[in-house]
Amino acid sequence: MSKIIKKNGKLSVPDIVTIPFIEGDGVGTEITPVCQSVVNKAVTMAYNGTRQIEWMEVLAGGKAYKETGEWLPQSTIDAFQNYLVGIKGPLMTPVGGGIRSLNVALRQTLDLYVCLRPVRYFNGVVSPVKHPEYVDMVIFRENTEDIYAGIEWEAGSDEASRFYKFLHDEMGVEKVRFPETSGFGVKPVSKEGSERLIRSAIEYALSHNLPSVTLVHKGNIMKFTEGGFKKWGYELAEREYPEELKSGKLVIKDCICDAFLQNALLKPKEYSVIATMNLNGDYVSDMLAAQVGGIGIAPGANINYNSGHAIFEATHGIAPDIAGENIVNPCSIILSAVMMLDYIGWGEAASLITSAMEKLFSEGYATSDLARFMDNGKPLGTNEFAEKLANTL
């Protein structure tokens, strides 16, 4: 099996490359196989059979628990560690103690500090806004700090009482209005974590000739976490990219998160690359996805640009209510695979898929979640849509 390696700061990708994948729970069993079939055909067509992906299944979620008694086996983490780049379907969240979220556990364990969410409009998709074509943004959401590293104490617990006592007696905090019934949470936001996220956003903007990087934050209220993020971002840009700033090749600006959510509706053309913390990024990425057709066609990736590790993923949940009915939209994971192809330098195959998908949408072909809103909508099942997409490449 052929591994991707990082050499002299760049990915070295063999022509026959092994990609670990997690099938996923619920609708994952439907969308992952059709995604692989589309990708396989695109790669074959783009490179005349000289390149190939060898898919290597690894286990996580319900399937892993059923087969191994573990939700996230060490062998799965090792595979993503060793092979650098992988892809996954949606995973269920274990009920009870232990891992709070398998997705978060993977991101934290592999230090995938960027959650990358590109948002663009496909012609033919019906949107709730007048000009969805104005939305063309890439969100860099910090993936290891903020609420993903949040520490909580439940209201009424001994720990909450001790924490409040420390705040009150040692730190002089007087503004907790109802301490006896308050739960408490702490979110860490570091200079190092903020800088590496913002640096990645800046490098992306420069390499793709994009006009600006916007720091989205709530620093007017949380001055030392959210405000620190903003401050460190400007300082980083001035320290490491002075020539780019001076020439105008790089523009850094910032926006308070609630204002950004409004502005993204009213004047989306003003934004291209967004750098933000974890919770803000959750709101922003899903809101923007809704403007261009919904999370069913929203791709995503979790990346460590320093080590090269990346896991691409469907951004939606396991949808157990429609699992097995051949109606789920596979476009989120297919477009995530497009991101993966771009990431490993196989952009020709990636372009084949996006062009074919836009052609189908413009002709009204889509799964029912999208087709039902199109004037000329022609609803297809999951398998039928993927087959038509592959035949349109």
Side-chain angles (χ1 to χ4, degrees), residues 312-334:
F312 299 81
E313 65 180 354
T315 59
H316 54 74
I318 65 172
D321 54 321
I322 62 170
E325 297 185 15
N326 193 39
I327 60 175
V328 62
N329 187 342
C331 289
S332 175
I333 195 168
I334 291 173

Side-chain angles (χ1 to χ4, degrees), residues 173-216:
V173 174
E174 299 282 354
K175 61 183 178 181
V176 181
R177 185 161 295 179
F178 304 109
E180 298 300 322
T181 57
S182 290
F184 294 94
V186 175
K187 65 173 193 178
V189 177
S190 72
K191 182 178 181 181
E192 293 88 347
S194 298
E195 283 188 345
R196 66 180 184 172
L197 181 281
I198 295 165
R199 184 182 295 110
S200 297
I202 291 173
E203 291 290 340
Y204 185 95
L206 291 173
S207 65
H208 289 78
N209 296 312
L210 295 172
S212 66
V213 176
T214 302
L215 310 174
V216 174

